[in-house]
């Protein structure tokens, strides 16, 4: 091997060693920066809020260190510089190597080659490489060890190095939080017939109670915990990452996941399966007949937010009068709607087939139920239509034009039906649960309260009290009014007795005591019958109009006028005040602690779902805007207006009322 060949081989070895040297120090620098960031998260948690710059910073630092070191060894590209480097490391050559590769002394080339051949240049080269590469490789090992023992599960043990030996594709944890970019799959209950839907990184999930919710995330499941309120949920790992399965609760709740110093809250917004609605469209009104010879065409329409199950018509036939009467119930064949959201049903009722007599009453209503098999079918009933067969004693000698029965007739008929329902409930009281008793008694009490309000309207329509009642003003509820305070001025004693007895019956039914409610219900029925059967005079045509002589009555009034009594302003809702205060506190956190502000908005949305749904919906838009980096000014304004109402302005300044 000639001297030139020895120099060329040494140049190649040194070049490879220089590249390894630069790369080793670059890798060591990158690992050291990652380890430093991981340890810094213990002191400054905000380092872990945005993780996309961690790897970029380490990569840039490693490339910079590698480039600088390669620039420093750029002399290795020169053939002569490598020969001088060998002469410096092997003094015994006495510049014979440099002289031999120059070729200026051909007469001495043999002796020069002989001198070069006697020296072990390869051993000197490898010894120099070992001294240079050993510190660099040691630095790489130290950086990797620091990264391995760093407190962050993203870089430390069980994260990066644990994943290198794992054959599963999803075992390697990602840098930063593993709670970003979550996927949610919502599977509705089977009775709805709806397909599962996938949500991409949602801030809230709206579903029916009982729906199955599956939350998926990237990375290993080690160190991730989940809870709904104070109840923990299981977080499992798989090849695709971590996942958590839960059931949508019946009340709004916060689904919280935690990963080291990170946390993520998802609002669970249950959408209640409302009971169906049904309207009896035919017959349109109550009817009184002389004889039970009529074919009644029944028609009803039903709707539901999810799907209808079945429906039918129910007949309640009462015979007798006063406290002695019997009741029987018939129903038409069940109509299946097959899960559709709307439907109609028809039937035909031949009164002659019911064998009705004088004074008998037929109460007709339509009933529908939805297909909820999870929490029980929701039941809906329509308004009741009554058909009464008149008694012979009710007729008078005057010719009467055909007309609908008086309102008091339908009230008496409905009262008979409610008494029958209450007696049935009393008989079954020992065989049903307390919850079922309270439910059925409350439903009867609500129907009884409707009759009470109707009697109140009829009572004061017959009195000169139109000036004392405001048009369209709702009647007070049973809890807001005592009968003695409102009916003492009534001139109809039968209706007054009925109103007082109905009030007592409603009180007992609403506290689930159907037994004590029966006596006042029967008293009310007798009073309604007396009022219904009172002597009445039917006039042909319309009464004459009263002409007022304005010139005679003008300016004859004695009333001087008086100001209305000022009522105190109602107290502001304390729940709304609390929500407004929490909203202001969360807004103040935005410039200083954005992550804490998002958390405060999310928890506020959970509490607002049951108080102000419109405010909660506006808050959901605000949270989405913050999490996706958009401007949240408009959503915040909508949330403020949904909670506190629109702002009002007063034109100009108010008049001055102070001073000396």
């Amino acid at each position: 091997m000639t001297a030139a060949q020895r120099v060329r081989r040494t140049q190649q070895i040194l070049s490879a060693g220089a590249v390894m040297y630069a790369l080793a120090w670059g890798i060591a620098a990158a690992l050291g920066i990652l380890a430093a960031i991981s340890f810094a998260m213990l002191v400054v948690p905000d380092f872990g809020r945005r993780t996309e710059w961690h790897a970029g910073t380490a990569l840039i630092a490693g490339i910079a260190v590698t480039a600088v070191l390669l620039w420093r060894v750029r002399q290795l590209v020169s053939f002569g510089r490598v020969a001088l480097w060998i002469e410096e490391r092997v003094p015994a050559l006495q510049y014979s190597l440099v002289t031999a590769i120059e070729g200026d002394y051909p007469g001495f080339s043999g002796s020069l080659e002989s001198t070069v051949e006697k020296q072990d240049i390869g051993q000197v080269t490898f010894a120099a490489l070992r001294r240079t590469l050993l510190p660099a490789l040691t630095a790489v090992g130290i950086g990797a060890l620091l990264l391995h023992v760093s407190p962050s599960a993203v870089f430390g043990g069980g994260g990066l190095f644990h994943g290198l030996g794992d054959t599963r594709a999803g075992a390697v944890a990602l840098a930063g939080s593993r709670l970003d970019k979550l996927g949610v799959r919502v599977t509705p209950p089977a009775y709805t017939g709806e397909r599962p839907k996938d949500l991409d990184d949602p801030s809230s999930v709206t579903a029916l109670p009982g729906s199955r919710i599956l939350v998926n995330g990237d990375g290993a499941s080690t160190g991730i915990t989940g809870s709904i309120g104070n109840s923990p949920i299981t977080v499992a790992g798989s090849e695709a990452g971590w996942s958590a399965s839960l059931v949508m609760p019946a009340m709004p709740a916060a689904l919280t996941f935690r990963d080291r110093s990170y946390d993520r809250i998802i609002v669970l917004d249950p959408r209640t399966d409302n009971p169906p609605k049904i309207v009896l469209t035919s017959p349109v009104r109550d009817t009184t007949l002389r004889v039970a010879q009529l074919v009644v065409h029944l028609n009803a329409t039903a709707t539901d937010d999810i799907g209808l199950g079945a429906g039918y018509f129910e007949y309640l036939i009462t015979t007798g009068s006063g406290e002695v009467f019997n009741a029987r119930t018939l129903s038409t064949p069940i109509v299946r709607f097959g899960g559709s959201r709307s439907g109609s049903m028809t039937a035909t009722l031949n009164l002659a087939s019911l064998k009705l007599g004088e004074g008998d009453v037929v109460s007709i209503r339509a009933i529908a139920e939805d297909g909820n098999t999870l929490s029980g079918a929701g039941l809906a009933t329509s308004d009741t239509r009554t058909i009464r067969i008149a008694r012979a004693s009710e007729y008078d000698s005057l010719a009467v034009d055909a007309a609908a029965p008086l309102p008091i007739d339908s009230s008496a008929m409905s009262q008979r039906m409610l008494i029958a329902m209450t007696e049935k409930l009393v008989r079954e009281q020992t065989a049903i649960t307390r919850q079922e008793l309270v439910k059925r008694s409350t439903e009867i009490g609500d129907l009884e309260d409707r009759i009470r309000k109707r009697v109140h309207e009829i009572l004061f329509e017959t009195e000169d009290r139109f000036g004392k009642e405001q048009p369209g003003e709702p009647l007070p509820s049973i809890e807001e009014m005592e009968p003695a305070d409102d009916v003492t001025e009534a001139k109809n004693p039968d209706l007054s007795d009925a109103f007082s007895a109905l009030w007592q019956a409603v009180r007992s039914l609403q506290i689930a005591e159907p037994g004590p409610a029966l006596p006042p219900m029967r008293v009310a029925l007798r009073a309604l019958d007396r009022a219904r059967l009172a002597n009445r005079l039917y006039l042909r045509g319309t009464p004459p109009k009263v002409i007022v002589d304005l010139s005679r009555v003008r300016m004859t009034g004695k009333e001087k006028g008086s100001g209305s009594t000022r009522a105190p302003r109602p107290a502001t809702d304390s729940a709304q005040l609390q929500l407004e205060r929490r909203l202001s506190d969360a807004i103040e956190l935005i410039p200083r602690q954005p992550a804490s502000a998002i958390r405060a908005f999310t928890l506020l949305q959970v509490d607002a779902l049951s108080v102000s749904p419109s405010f909660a919906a506006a808050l959901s838009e605000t949270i989405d805007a913050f999490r996706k980096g958009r401007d949240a000014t408009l959503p915040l304004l909508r949330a403020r207006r949904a909670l506190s109402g629109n702002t009002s302005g007063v034109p100009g300044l108010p008049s001055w009322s102070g001073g000396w």
Side-chain angles (χ1 to χ4, degrees):
M1 183 181 292
T2 63
Q5 293 175 343
R6 293 177 184 275
V7 174
R8 182 67 63 188
R9 187 183 68 174
T10 303
Q11 184 182 26
Q12 294 174 352
I13 295 174
L14 291 177
S15 298
V19 172
M20 293 177 59
Y21 170 80
L23 289 176
W25 279 111
I27 294 173
L31 294 177
I33 291 176
L34 290 177
I37 293 175
S38 180
F39 281 104
M41 289 180 186
L42 295 176
V43 182
V44 185
D46 288 340
F47 279 178
R49 301 299 181 187
R50 298 183 60 87
T51 60
E52 59 272 10
W53 61 272
H54 294 171
T57 302
L59 181 62
I60 292 174
I63 293 175
V65 171
T66 302
V68 170
L69 294 180
L70 287 176
W71 177 256
R72 292 181 59 185
V73 295
R74 64 187 183 280
Q75 295 86 357
L76 292 177
V77 300
S78 174
F79 193 72
R81 290 292 186 94
V82 175
L84 290 174
W85 183 86
I86 297 174
E87 290 282 358
E88 182 181 355
R89 298 302 187 278
V90 187
L93 291 174
Q94 296 181 356
Y95 296 99
S96 56
L97 178 62
V98 176
T99 305
I101 64 175
E102 289 178 354
D104 294 337
Y105 304 96
F108 298 95
S109 59
S111 60
L112 292 174
E113 292 288 347
S114 177
T115 304
V116 172
E117 189 177 357
K118 294 178 181 179
Q119 304 298 325
D120 191 357
I121 298 177
Q123 181 180 0
V124 174
T125 302
F126 284 111
L129 284 178
R130 284 194 298 270
R131 290 193 300 270
T132 304
L133 292 177
L134 184 60
L137 297 177
T138 303
V140 172
I142 294 174
L145 181 62
L146 288 174
L147 188 60
H148 181 70
V149 300
S150 62
S152 173
V154 174
F155 304 122
L160 180 64
F161 292 97
H162 177 74
L164 293 177
D166 199 338
T167 57
R168 297 176 300 172
V172 181
L174 301 179
S177 174
R178 290 172 287 177
L179 305 179
D180 295 332
K181 299 180 180 180
L182 299 180
V184 178
R185 185 175 183 84
V186 181
T187 304
Y191 77 88
T192 63
E194 299 178 358
R195 295 181 178 180
K197 60 179 180 180
D198 296 322
L199 305 177
D200 185 16
D201 200 27
S203 59
S204 62
V205 177
T206 302
L208 291 171
S211 300
R212 176 64 59 178
I213 300 175
L214 180 64
V215 183
N216 300 308
D218 296 329
S221 61
T222 305
I224 298 179
T225 59
S227 62
I228 301 179
N230 296 325
S231 302
I233 60 175
T234 303
V235 178
S238 64
E239 295 183 359
W242 64 270
S243 63
S245 179
L246 60 138
V247 177
M248 173 64 74
M251 299 297 293
L255 174 60
T256 305
F257 291 104
R258 289 183 175 83
D259 175 21
R260 308 181 312 278
S261 59
Y262 307 96
D263 61 359
R264 174 75 180 274
I265 301 177
I266 299 177
V267 179
L268 299 180
D269 181 12
R271 177 171 60 90
T272 306
D273 184 1
N274 296 319
K277 298 179 180 179
I278 188 167
V279 178
L280 184 61
T281 58
S282 177
V284 180
R285 60 179 62 88
D286 301 338
T287 306
T288 301
L289 302 175
R290 287 179 177 268
V291 292
Q293 294 181 359
L294 180 66
V295 177
V296 183
H297 296 282
L298 307 179
N299 188 11
T301 58
T303 58
D304 188 63
D305 56 344
I306 303 297
L308 293 168
Y312 57 92
F313 292 99
E314 184 182 74
Y315 314 137
L316 177 64
I317 305 169
T318 59
T319 59
S321 62
E323 297 183 6
V324 181
F325 66 91
N326 297 320
R328 54 194 174 103
T329 303
L330 302 177
S331 60
T332 61
I334 295 177
V335 177
R336 301 291 179 182
F337 295 104
S340 61
R341 295 192 175 184
S342 62
S344 62
M345 55 183 184
T346 59
T348 301
L349 173 61
N350 188 355
L351 295 180
S353 63
L354 299 180
K355 300 180 180 180
L356 302 176
E358 294 183 1
D360 292 352
V361 178
V362 180
S363 300
I364 306 170
R365 64 175 182 172
I367 300 176
E369 61 182 23
D370 59 16
N372 189 346
T373 58
L374 190 64
S375 58
L379 195 66
T381 59
S382 68
D383 291 337
T384 303
R385 302 285 187 266
T386 59
I387 300 176
R388 187 174 66 88
I389 309 302
R391 300 178 185 274
S393 59
E394 299 178 25
Y395 306 145
D396 51 29
S397 60
L398 296 181
V400 181
D401 293 334
L406 293 178
I408 195 64
D409 290 347
S410 61
S411 298
M413 299 167 199
S414 300
Q415 184 67 10
R416 285 189 175 89
M417 180 184 68
L418 294 181
I419 291 176
M421 295 171 62
T422 306
E423 290 177 342
K424 181 180 178 182
L425 179 59
V426 171
R427 290 193 301 268
E428 299 175 354
Q429 183 173 356
T430 58
I432 61 177
T433 62
R434 174 65 181 177
Q435 183 178 3
E436 181 68 17
L437 173 64
V438 172
K439 178 182 177 182
R440 292 174 58 180
S441 179
T442 304
E443 292 176 352
I444 299 174
D446 293 339
L447 296 175
E448 186 80 344
D449 193 44
R450 290 170 59 180
I451 297 178
R452 179 192 67 85
K453 293 178 180 179
R454 183 58 181 153
V455 171
H456 183 278
E457 294 176 358
I458 299 171
L459 180 65
F460 291 106
E461 282 177 359
T462 59
E463 307 293 340
D464 295 329
R465 299 190 55 175
F466 293 101
K468 297 184 180 181
E469 301 291 331
Q470 296 295 331
E473 182 179 357
L475 281 171
S477 65
I478 193 67
E479 292 83 1
E480 300 172 346
M481 184 179 67
E482 296 291 336
D485 297 337
D486 214 62
V487 300
T488 52
E489 300 180 7
K491 298 179 182 179
N492 191 322
D494 294 330
L495 292 181
S496 299
D497 294 343
F499 185 84
S500 301
L502 288 171
W503 178 85
Q504 297 175 11
V506 173
R507 281 288 192 183
S508 299
L509 289 171
Q510 288 187 343
I511 61 175
E513 293 184 358
L518 281 173
M521 292 177 72
R522 295 189 179 104
V523 171
L525 178 60
R526 289 195 299 270
L528 292 174
D529 281 337
R530 289 196 303 271
R532 178 175 57 83
L533 299 176
N535 294 328
R536 296 190 291 270
L537 179 65
Y538 296 91
L539 299 178
R540 280 186 163 296
T542 58
K545 296 182 179 180
V546 178
I547 306 300
V548 179
D549 187 355
L550 296 180
S551 60
R552 186 172 63 85
V553 301
R554 182 179 288 116
M555 305 299 293
T556 60
K558 302 300 183 181
E559 179 65 37
K560 297 181 180 180
S562 59
S564 59
T565 304
R566 298 183 62 184
R569 296 179 61 184
T572 307
D573 187 8
S574 59
Q576 179 180 349
L577 281 177
Q578 186 177 6
L579 293 178
E580 291 179 355
R581 182 167 55 254
R582 292 176 59 184
L583 178 62
S584 300
D585 295 341
I587 293 175
E588 293 179 358
L589 292 175
I590 294 175
R592 297 181 286 106
Q593 300 177 4
S596 300
I598 295 176
R599 179 183 177 87
F601 282 127
T602 306
L603 296 177
L604 181 59
Q605 181 187 359
V606 175
D607 296 336
L609 283 172
S610 56
V611 178
S612 177
S614 58
F615 173 57
L619 273 184
S620 179
E621 298 178 6
T622 304
I623 296 169
D624 288 337
F626 275 119
R627 295 188 63 251
K628 296 178 181 179
R630 300 196 304 263
D631 185 12
T633 303
L634 290 180
L636 272 176
L637 288 176
R638 284 194 290 268
R640 173 73 76 179
R641 288 170 182 170
L643 181 61
S644 305
N646 294 327
T647 57
S648 59
V650 179
L653 295 175
S655 58
W656 176 256
S657 59
W660 294 284

